[in-house]
Amino acid sequence: MNIKNKERESDHNIALKMIVYNMQKAIRCMRSDSDGKWIWILHLGEYTRASSPPLAVTKETLNIFANHMPERLHRAYLFQAPTVFRGLYRIVKPFLDNVTREKIIFVNGVEDEKGMQKLLEDVHPDQLESVVGGNLQFSYDFDREELGESCS
């Protein structure tokens, strides 16, 4: 194995560790009265092939979720997914079980009435960022220490 392959493998391992850390942190941050399931909203309006993770990382991420966090996902909304993403999704889709496939919903934008109706059934507009059709005006502040400390 040459140095580039070792670096690439190291980058993949770091990415996977970050994903697992963030998912475990999300579990710790859930309210005690919740059902323990996630609703993901991925705004993909600026997604490009160049910004996508390698297929190996995507496959291993799916494996981690399937084998270590089963049934955590309530629904995943893919908002404004460009054509290139839909093409990549067609590649990944066979690796997903049927139950998971049913939980993935493409929303073409705020003008997509059917998709927005489904999204607003799951998330109240006051808890949904304005960029995806909600009322919440949110700006992430990387300097706020308490964001990282809000859940132990």
Side-chain angles (χ1 to χ4, degrees), residues 36-104:
K37 295 197 179 235
W38 292 317
I39 296 172
W40 292 353
I41 303 168
L42 292 99
H43 189 283
L44 300 166
E46 296 180 18
Y47 179 90
T48 64
R49 176 66 180 109
S51 66
S52 69
L55 186 57
V57 172
T58 302
K59 286 171 62 176
E60 185 58 27
T61 301
L62 293 173
N63 180 49
I64 290 168
F65 289 139
N67 293 315
H68 302 285
M69 299 176 188
E71 296 305 313
R72 278 274 180 204
L73 183 64
H74 172 71
R75 195 157 288 117
Y77 291 95
L78 308 178
F79 197 83
Q80 293 181 336
T83 305
V84 66
F85 183 87
R86 290 174 187 262
L88 291 171
Y89 177 73
R90 281 193 288 276
I91 293 170
V92 172
K93 191 175 177 178
F95 299 104
L96 302 174
D97 63 56
N98 290 333
V99 173
T100 303
R101 282 186 212 150
E102 294 298 319
K103 296 177 181 183
I104 298 172

Side-chain angles (χ1 to χ4, degrees), residues 5-28:
N5 286 342
K6 283 184 180 181
E7 287 176 3
R8 189 175 300 123
E9 184 177 319
S10 174
D11 289 348
H12 293 181
N13 288 335
I14 290 169
L16 290 169
K17 286 179 182 179
M18 183 192 70
I19 290 166
V20 170
Y21 169 82
N22 284 314
M23 295 302 104
Q24 290 174 338
K25 183 81 168 176
I27 292 166
R28 287 191 306 273

